[in-house]
Amino acid sequence: MSNIGPFYFQSIMILLLLIGVLILSSYNYNLKTKSICIEFVSANPTGLMHIGHARGAVLGDAISSVLQEVGHNITKEYYINDAGEQIKKLNKTILFHVENFLEDSESPLPDDLYPGEYLKNIAQKIFNKFALKKSSELKEIEEKIVDIILSDIKKDLVDLNINHDNFVSEKSISSSVNIN
């Protein structure tokens, strides 16, 4: 017998959920309608989406569809993890690469920064887009870093035909104005 991986079984589960939608669409369960917020994918905007994120996207969308089909009001939400230490590390990584471009150098990446060619490419996009000339301009672009990566993530979701109703920022929720 061949070695069948976990993705095969998850695919079967998704197929069963979709078949369930077809069956349920012709049956009235007389459920009390609820408003349900389903948060899914929510990949940290510190790099590219990977197959695990895609799997979560498809599964979250399938669950949302089933619940909507049986009569619930569904809100599909993506929680943007744009606060905290991971984002500080991301910003430091991008700024490191941009400084290398400004100085036309190839300094070795410190161990406390994120590795990866993708982040170096993001730094190149920022360097070109904002026509940076000196290191003192770097602080001004920190807010743009997550936006650029999130834009790439949204493109991936569109390619998967996954749509969210809301993209909610951790930074905006955890601001001192909202906490007090």
Side-chain angles (χ1 to χ4, degrees), residues 26-84:
S26 63
Y27 185 81
N28 183 359
Y29 277 97
N30 293 323
L31 294 175
K32 181 178 178 186
T33 301
K34 296 179 182 179
S35 293
I36 302 171
C37 179
I38 299 180
E39 179 264 327
F40 61 101
V41 185
S42 302
N44 286 333
T46 55
L48 294 167
M49 282 183 51
H50 55 67
I51 191 67
H53 298 128
R55 182 185 66 220
V58 171
L59 186 59
D61 196 59
I63 291 169
S64 297
S65 294
V66 168
L67 291 171
Q68 195 166 24
E69 185 63 35
V70 298
H72 297 295
N73 299 314
I74 302 301
T75 301
K76 297 187 279 185
E77 192 166 278
Y78 186 112
Y79 183 75
I80 306 166
N81 300 312
D82 61 348

Side-chain angles (χ1 to χ4, degrees), residues 89 92-93 109-114:
K89 185 175 177 177
K92 284 175 59 178
T93 302
L109 186 71
D111 290 339
D112 66 331
L113 300 181
Y114 286 121

Side-chain angles (χ1 to χ4, degrees), residues 40-54 56-57 77-82 86-87 90 118-119 122 125 144-164 166-167:
F40 61 101
V41 185
S42 302
N44 286 333
T46 55
L48 294 167
M49 282 183 51
H50 55 67
I51 191 67
H53 298 128
E77 192 166 278
Y78 186 112
Y79 183 75
I80 306 166
N81 300 312
D82 61 348
Q86 289 181 326
I87 296 303
L90 170 68
Y118 172 74
L119 296 177
I122 293 292
K125 276 186 193 177
K144 306 293 182 199
I145 294 170
V146 169
D147 293 340
I148 290 170
I149 294 173
L150 192 59
S151 174
D152 286 346
I153 290 171
K154 287 179 179 181
K155 287 176 192 169
D156 289 341
L157 292 170
V158 166
D159 289 345
L160 289 169
N161 200 26
I162 305 292
N163 300 302
H164 287 84
N166 300 318
F167 283 80

